[in-house]
Amino acid sequence: MSRIRAFTMPKWGIEMTEGTIADWTVKEGDSFKRGQTLCLIETAKITNEVDAEYDATVRRIIVGGGSEAEPVGALLAVFDEGDHSEEEIDAFVASFKPAEGGIAKGAASAKAAAQEDAQSAPAPAAEKPRIRIETNRPISPEALRLAEDEGVDIADIEGSGRQGRITHQDVVKALRGPSGSAPRGALTLDAEDFKVFASPLARRLAAIHGIALSGLTGTGPRGRISKADVLAIAPQPASATAPAMAAFVAGDNRPDIVPFDRVRKVVAQRLTQAKQDIPHFYLRTSARADALLEMRKTANLVLGSKASVNDWIVKASAMALARHPDVNVQVHGQEIHRFPHADVSIAVASPKGLVTPVVRQANLMRIDLLAAETRRLIDKAQGKGLSMTDMEGGTFSVSNLGMFGIESFDAIINPPQGAILAVGAALRQPIETAGGGIGFETRISFTLSVDHRAIDGAAGAQFLQTLKSLIEEPAGLFA
């Protein structure tokens, strides 16, 4: 049976509230087959290709590529499995309502309401006409919108993004115009001056003060004209005591204003909410790491892996979480969800900002398998290939800034998780030996940020105690 179908903004993960159509790969009137890519949708963290789930024809595109973000459930397009009339399509759009529980009113409903308001409101003042730019060059939606609004010719803009993609900042720079600086070039010297035996500095000083070197007698070795010879006849400043110094005048210190991109907006929103709503408290400890570092060298050689220190810390954290399920939790409203296995989120700096892909059941993985999975997730993050499946469902987070030399820091909890571990640098520190002398050992600092609504101080302390013992006696990581 043929029918008209609504294509709406999908919901990928419990935290997604809106998305943006980055580009359509089909246009109105095109027929498509199941499995064919229809469009690219950008969320706060990822860009996903949306494939067709059935055969149909594109009858109406409601939200074009590069438009503003639309909420989950908003009507994006209308597909037709048969041969319905335009009147039937119009009626379908006009009567569209989001599914129960949806948070959007639908793009068509919003536009209809806007048209009603526009008819009843007085005519607005004339706005600057928007120039439509048709181009095949890679350009971000925000950059294209700015170029169209300001009438910028993008033909001469050299994209600084990935694979020459024109970014919003590239268009902003084009609006400012070329720099007004004009280099003066090299200082010209008279040809006859090169026949005179003089030092390079003496030549430059003579050119600055307009002094002919041919009339000077050098006091340097073999009659070479030196800096002192030139300065002796150079014009003196007005003050007899000291050379006059020009007063320092501060110029404009104008900022380079960079607006939040979509990812930074979401990150700022989530972190502010987490810090305001979650009662954080912090537990700190440090552990001897010399045995772990030796174990890592041996295990990498025997297993043929390249496990990093952070991989071993993730492994130790996962095993400690399995022994202390009171810390391995998520908080959902008035409920605490405890998990038997540790799905550890690892903080990764990606081109789109901070992301937290999840290593599933890390407590059960051998270290070489855990290292391979971590490497796979990091590579996907750097290549913008992470999906929502890769990032949702974590029960605990590990954030490591030790590679930047940070000794210790406090991390903000990643909701709905109940705790996050901040890892500092491995530092050599002096200790008192058993004989009363001084020795050195490598120590790593750990700070556990805990949600006090779900985890008590004693539970967090016991978790850190187990983590510390696994770091200092790493043979237990193979148990």
Side-chain angles (χ1 to χ4, degrees):
M1 177 180 177
S2 64
R3 57 175 171 162
I4 302 173
R5 290 198 179 212
F7 176 64
T8 61
M9 180 63 68
K11 183 174 180 63
W12 295 321
I14 60 175
E15 296 176 0
M16 178 180 172
T17 59
E18 63 180 16
T20 301
I21 295 288
D23 188 26
W24 285 97
T25 58
V26 293
K27 59 183 182 294
E28 289 188 2
D30 286 354
S31 297
F32 56 83
K33 298 291 184 181
R34 180 179 180 181
Q36 180 179 342
T37 299
L38 300 177
C39 63
L40 300 177
I41 293 183
E42 291 182 349
T43 69
K45 296 285 187 181
I46 59 173
T47 300
N48 264 0
E49 295 180 349
V50 179
D51 296 334
E53 298 179 356
Y54 47 83
D55 299 349
T57 301
V58 181
R59 292 298 301 274
R60 192 73 52 83
I61 292 180
I62 306 297
V63 179
S67 302
E68 296 290 339
E70 292 287 344
V72 169
L75 182 63
L76 304 179
V78 178
F79 300 153
D80 187 1
E81 292 183 334
D83 188 19
H84 294 82
S85 66
E86 287 295 324
E87 290 76 13
E88 290 175 308
I89 300 297
D90 291 338
F92 179 84
V93 173
S95 62
F96 172 78
K97 293 181 180 179
E100 184 178 356
I103 61 172
K105 295 181 179 178
S109 301
K111 290 183 179 179
Q115 291 174 354
E116 292 178 2
D117 292 342
Q119 292 175 358
S120 59
E127 295 183 356
K128 183 178 180 180
R130 183 174 183 179
I131 301 174
R132 185 68 179 174
I133 298 177
E134 300 291 343
T135 180
N136 292 326
R137 295 186 62 189
I139 182 171
S140 72
E142 292 293 335
L144 182 60
R145 187 179 301 109
L146 178 61
E148 291 178 343
D149 290 341
E150 300 297 333
V152 178
D153 184 4
I154 66 172
D156 298 328
I157 298 179
E158 183 177 352
S160 62
R162 192 179 184 89
Q163 297 180 342
R165 181 181 174 93
I166 299 174
T167 66
H168 184 274
Q169 192 170 9
D170 295 331
V171 179
V172 171
K173 289 183 179 179
L175 283 170
R176 292 175 181 167
S179 173
S181 61
R184 298 176 62 184
L187 184 65
T188 56
L189 300 175
D190 292 337
E192 65 177 26
D193 283 348
F194 289 101
K195 301 177 182 179
V196 179
F197 188 35
S199 69
L201 181 56
R203 293 184 189 281
R204 177 172 293 276
L205 289 172
I208 292 173
H209 293 288
I211 298 173
L213 293 176
S214 57
L216 292 181
T217 301
T219 59
R222 294 179 294 161
R224 188 185 194 194
I225 299 174
S226 66
K227 164 188 171 184
D229 298 329
V230 177
L231 292 179
I233 64 171
Q236 297 297 315
S239 173
T241 57
M245 298 292 291
F248 173 75
V249 179
D252 290 339
N253 187 18
R254 297 183 179 180
D256 183 12
I257 300 175
V258 181
F260 276 5
D261 58 23
R262 192 173 295 108
V263 174
R264 183 56 58 187
K265 285 180 182 177
V266 173
V267 171
Q269 233 174 18
R270 291 189 60 204
L271 292 182
T272 301
Q273 183 178 4
K275 194 65 175 176
Q276 289 176 342
D277 295 347
I278 298 177
H280 287 61
F281 74 94
Y282 307 95
L283 300 173
R284 312 178 199 280
T285 190
S286 65
R288 296 189 306 273
D290 296 282
L292 178 68
L293 297 178
E294 287 299 321
M295 174 75 78
R296 171 176 173 260
K297 291 180 183 178
T298 304
N300 281 351
L301 184 62
V302 172
L303 298 175
S305 65
K306 294 183 179 179
S308 66
V309 174
N310 193 64
D311 293 330
W312 286 87
I313 293 173
V314 170
K315 171 66 174 176
S317 299
M319 293 185 66
L321 288 168
R323 299 180 191 179
H324 301 278
D326 287 348
V327 180
N328 191 36
V329 300
Q330 291 180 351
V331 182
H332 296 273
Q334 301 297 318
E335 296 179 344
I336 299 174
H337 295 191
R338 292 192 178 93
F339 296 86
H341 299 296
D343 293 340
V344 181
S345 301
I346 52 174
V348 179
S350 77
K352 295 198 73 173
L354 182 67
V355 294
T356 53
V358 181
V359 181
R360 310 287 175 184
Q361 299 192 8
N363 56 301
L364 301 180
M365 300 178 72
R366 200 172 63 191
I367 187 63
D368 55 331
L369 301 178
L370 188 150
E373 175 65 5
T374 300
R375 185 70 262 168
R376 183 186 73 84
L377 292 171
I378 292 175
D379 289 342
K380 288 186 71 175
Q382 298 296 339
K384 300 183 181 180
L386 282 176
S387 65
M388 290 303 300
T389 305
D390 293 323
M391 294 189 291
E392 65 182 0
T395 62
F396 185 83
S397 290
V398 173
S399 180
N400 191 342
L401 295 179
M403 68 285 293
F404 300 109
I406 301 301
E407 297 181 10
S408 66
F409 66 102
D410 299 338
I412 299 176
I413 295 171
N414 182 20
Q417 298 170 17
I420 182 172
L421 183 70
V423 183
L427 301 174
R428 297 290 289 173
Q429 297 182 6
I431 59 168
E432 182 180 0
T433 62
I438 296 178
F440 286 87
E441 65 182 10
T442 304
R443 300 192 71 87
I444 299 177
S445 65
F446 299 99
T447 302
L448 184 68
S449 303
V450 184
D451 184 346
H452 214 331
R453 298 174 302 174
I455 303 172
D456 294 330
Q462 290 167 1
F463 164 80
L464 280 181
Q465 190 177 39
T466 300
L467 174 65
K468 180 175 180 177
S469 67
L470 289 170
I471 295 293
E472 295 183 344
E473 299 176 11
L477 295 174
F478 288 94

